[in-house]
Amino acid sequence: MSREDILRRAGAHIVDGVVRGFGDLAAELEAAHVGALLIDLSHRDRLAVAGPDAPGFLNRILSLDVLTLPVGAGGRPFLLDARGRIVGAFRLLRTGPDAYLFEASRGHGAAIIERLDHYHFGERIAVEPVSEAWALLTIQGPAAPRVLASLDLPAPDAPYGHASASLGGAPGRVARVDRGTGPGFDLWCAPEGFVPLWRGLIEAGARAGGVDALEIARIEAGRPDHPAELGDHATPLEVGAADGCSEGKGCYPGQEVIERTLAIGRPARALIAVTAPDPLVAGAPVRVDDAVAGTLTSAAALPDGRHVGLALVKRAFAQASTLVSQGVTLTQRPRTQETPP
């Protein structure tokens, strides 16, 4: 039985290779909030970067100090342009002294490879897509550690910490990646291990879910993602992604802008979380009285009829209690993660 076979037999609604859900969005969200939600993310892009010059090469162009990351650690670095804007966003796991795994949004892997090639001047490195070599699952929610423990699988504590494990009878890796309100874990498994791993996690108490529920959980938690927030319209510090920038790190593209902003302590804009009684439209302008305050970057409808979103606004309006977008009143709500993993 293939990966798609078991998902479809379980009731998955699959669109263009992406598992959107299993027919009960409210139950999936409840699992993300109080249980364990299991989602196939194999549509996302995976890359491997390796070679004796890989650590130094990556450290020269990324916003995060990857040289000091030990094997078994990771982070969310950025590739920036000269303005400090985000041109590449991904999660990185250091799997060996000279080896790294990248995970990025669907279709973004090619842009990352192109950007890496732009800075490649003969260093001894190899960059290759490995999406076919690995399936990717994520399990999110407060019960996720218990589910993993019942299968004798590791549940790393540190953000992006990861460990090798037998997943479905094949070598794999478990990484701490909080994609909703947390905690959460990504499971990199060999394709032949997907079906037994999926079955084992479901039998251990996880609930099957899709990206629609995960997107709502992400927005509820206030976590920026690519490309909605983490794109070339913003800097990492504006969208609350300071964890992807190492202060005082040596020269890299966009470093001057990042260091200057860190020194001032006041990015020009801020990411805020909002709620509304009516539908919201990502990309729509946000206003305070007659002034344009910013833009809605993400929006989602909850099963109970409420609507939530994220907005990137000018700092002068970051504390406004009420904003408006296309005639809909927005009320600010707390972001549960100010610097989300």
Side-chain angles (χ1 to χ4, degrees), residues 219-220 222 271-277 280 286 295-300 302 306-313 318 320-325 328-335:
I219 295 172
E220 287 181 318
L271 189 68
I272 63 171
V274 298
T275 185
L280 302 174
V286 173
T295 305
L296 273 170
T297 55
S298 294
L302 276 61
R306 292 178 296 129
H307 300 267
V308 292
L310 299 175
L312 185 60
V313 300
S321 59
T322 302
L323 308 95
V324 175
S325 179
V328 178
T329 299
L330 314 176
T331 301
Q332 278 208 54
R333 56 187 176 82
R335 286 179 59 204

Side-chain angles (χ1 to χ4, degrees), residues 46-50 113 126-131:
R46 275 90 71 204
L47 306 174
V49 179
I113 292 175
V127 182
E128 60 177 336
V130 292
S131 297

Side-chain angles (χ1 to χ4, degrees), residues 81-120:
D81 64 17
R83 303 170 299 164
R85 300 290 181 90
I86 300 166
V87 293
F90 51 91
R91 295 175 177 89
L92 172 151
L93 308 178
R94 191 171 193 176
T95 58
D98 303 327
Y100 303 84
L101 289 174
F102 290 10
E103 177 262 319
S105 60
R106 189 183 198 184
H108 193 44
I112 293 171
I113 292 175
E114 181 180 357
R115 198 73 179 182
L116 294 180
D117 187 62
H118 176 76
Y119 292 106
H120 183 207

